[in-house]
Amino acid sequence: MNESTHNAPDALAQQTRQTALGGRDIEEHLPALCRQAAAEGAVLLKNERGALPLAPEQPVAVFGRVQNDYFYVGYGSGGDVKTPYTVSLMQGLREAGAAVDEPLAAQYAAWCADNPPDMGDWGTWPLHFDEMPIADDEIRRAAARCGTALVVLGRAAGESRDNALAKGSYYLTDDERALLGRVRGAFARMVVLVNAGNLIDLGWTQGEDAPDAVVYVWQGGMESGRAVADVLYGRVSPCGKLPDTAARRYEDYPSAGHFLGKEYNEYVEDIFVGYRYFETFAPQAVLFPFGFGLSYTTFALSDASAQLCDGQVRVQVRVTNTGACAGKEVVQVYCAPPQGALGKPARHLAAFEKTQLLAPGEMQELTLSFPLEAVASYDDTGASGHRFAWVLEAGEYGVFVGTDVRSAAQCGCVRLESLRLVRQLQEACAPSPAHPFERLVCRAGAHGLEAQREPVPVAQHARKQRVLDNLPAPISPTGERGLLLGDVAAGRCRLEDFVAQLSPEDLIVLSHGDRVMDSPLGTKGNAGVLGGVTERLRAMGVPAVTATDGPSGIRLQYYASLLPCGTALAAGWNVPLVRRLAEAHGREMTMKGSDILLAPGMNIHRDPLCGRNFEYFSEDPLLTGRMGAAIVGGIQSNGVSACPKHFACNNQETNRSGNDSRVSERALREIYLRGFEICVREAKPQNIMTSYNQINGVWSHYNYDLCTTILRGEWGYTGCVMTDWWMRPCRDPDFPALSDSAYRIRAQVDVLMPGGKNFAGDIDFSALHSYYQPGGITLGELQRGACNVLRYLLASNALRRMDAAPGRP
Ligand code: BGC
């Protein structure tokens, strides 16, 4: 393998394709879908004295520079989209016909124009923008003209930088606090919007000087301003629900003190993440519970019942709109499993569904089902009698239904007389004996549930033997027989027959992307290209496919829609809507020349300070998994691929490619892998991206148990796994003849992206060196990886594109 194997594409073909992509055209349905999704994700946290909705004729004074300098999305690969337009809050208000106070709006417009924010650079993004100084008498004059003040607070966040437990990030700045106080003092009504991708401190929403109404509007993408105006003016009654618990104080989060570690973080809270912790041990520490969100109307849930039929718990409930305007409600079903020998969270989200738009007086009967197995526990200690198994312990499984975790009321109970072994597995990805720690467990004590600590179970199995026992048999090489990949697609030969023609060098080429970002083989501005990255492979009918970021839009040099951030989508709890949005997004991918969208971001919100939380969905794995599955299913219905990421435990940005997430096997399976599992089983993504970090001492891109034992062995995944961009060089501790890409391929992390050893694209010879060494990577493993990649390519539009123009990318 050398430089010359990577050939420039046919220049004319490439140019023609790129020209067709110019212009500001976007998929026609996306603006409306983005607007609806952003509006449905807005969470009304508080609404007193009828502050909202506003009436168009009601004069409103808008404070906060974010009215113009809006945060449409976070920074980094997940937000860096060349959006054809954005609608600011001020523009959205004006379009809605709002009676905006013009002198104040003009003052902000002029100041914002004169004081553009310093946007920093990669990883040094601003966390907030400084506020416009404003005098007391200016505020008083505005109050004399308007009864209502709308204050908008904004927060940024982004890749490569975590948020800070400091003013201007998690906390309000002194200027923001003072502004709220002064506006509160001057105006009869004060409404506050929070425009942020992460949860921030919300202590200021309480107390005497608190605002009348607070709406968390997240980062809503290009249609943000319209979506927010829809909610403020009642075109959409708020129907978003918190996808995370808002605690009273940061210190109340169970990860506090075990986050932002440079070398490692011990996941001491174990499975008690978010509401699982708060509802079990610290209900008083919650300001706004998980799943909470108000509406302009009211709903009554009635006639709720729960029954077990054929292993499925079926919850029926009637939802009636008892208020005065149309709205939607999110019905949430929680399970309270018995404590048993393992200890369980007091609540476990088991199902949810958003109602249709209900007119006043209208009702809808909902049936929500979940398999009881979905609330099983993973026993990593053997306390239940079944070590390394999913079990349903004997006892009562309370079923609760409601509109947030706290107020959900019991509607039934399922009793298991004896323990049910759901699935016996094997130890995988357990903490290293070299790094033991203590984790939180729940024990039923004399005074209710008690928080106790126990040593985390550490790994016992030998990876080396597991790898050797499962080495794939090689396919006997045949040399070239003139078979094309299209022959496999047409059923003229088997995939194995095609692969049998490939030399070890071809196979290794296939396990690398085209070395650099913005590869000349792909659409301009791509994140990388994989597949037919050499002329030789293309001549055999293997297409070169373009991968682009995600999640909030197609990141290219061309215009593409900017979608609401992941948390905003999750806050809408509307799975069919997200599916429709993703279907349209998949269509836009085909318009723009993207074959793989590096999305959705599916890491769990372990801590509110994680810089990439905005890209991810929630603290809960079911909400995460269902959102992820909707996006994957929607995108892939177009013949293009999604690529859920970052598998797994990329829960902080600080030293993200060096950090070790030390976490029990139970927490991994019940929390951090669970969303991925739901997505893989339900939507069958064709690609998955590993994370930068280590899990219990092993980088995800080398992690055999993660990517082979669990992902493929347990979940039946058959697609392609790629690295996050580049990887840490490392020798395989069990097999000295393997390092870097050989170590990776052994784990079934099939493709190094973007393909080179480093940013400059230097060639990675590690797999080739290993292959020719005794005890090195085997032909069977190289072929197995190639099959994983080719299976994806066979399912992709790119193959059909190639059929139409053989030899071209
Ligand atoms: C990010 C990924 C992204 C990739 C390509 C990495 O830095 O972690 O999420 O897809 O770059 O841009």
Side-chain angles (χ1 to χ4, degrees), residues 81 175 236 254 286 317 320 325 362 408 429 473 479 504 685:
V81 176
D175 285 349
V236 173
V286 173
V317 64
T320 310
C325 69
E362 197 181 352
C429 295

Side-chain angles (χ1 to χ4, degrees), residues 241 289-293 329-330 332 334 401-409:
K241 305 282 174 173
F290 177 80
F292 174 81
E329 181 55 287
V330 177
Q332 303 158 39
Y334 294 89
V401 66
T403 56
D404 66 68
V405 68
R406 182 63 56 81
S407 65

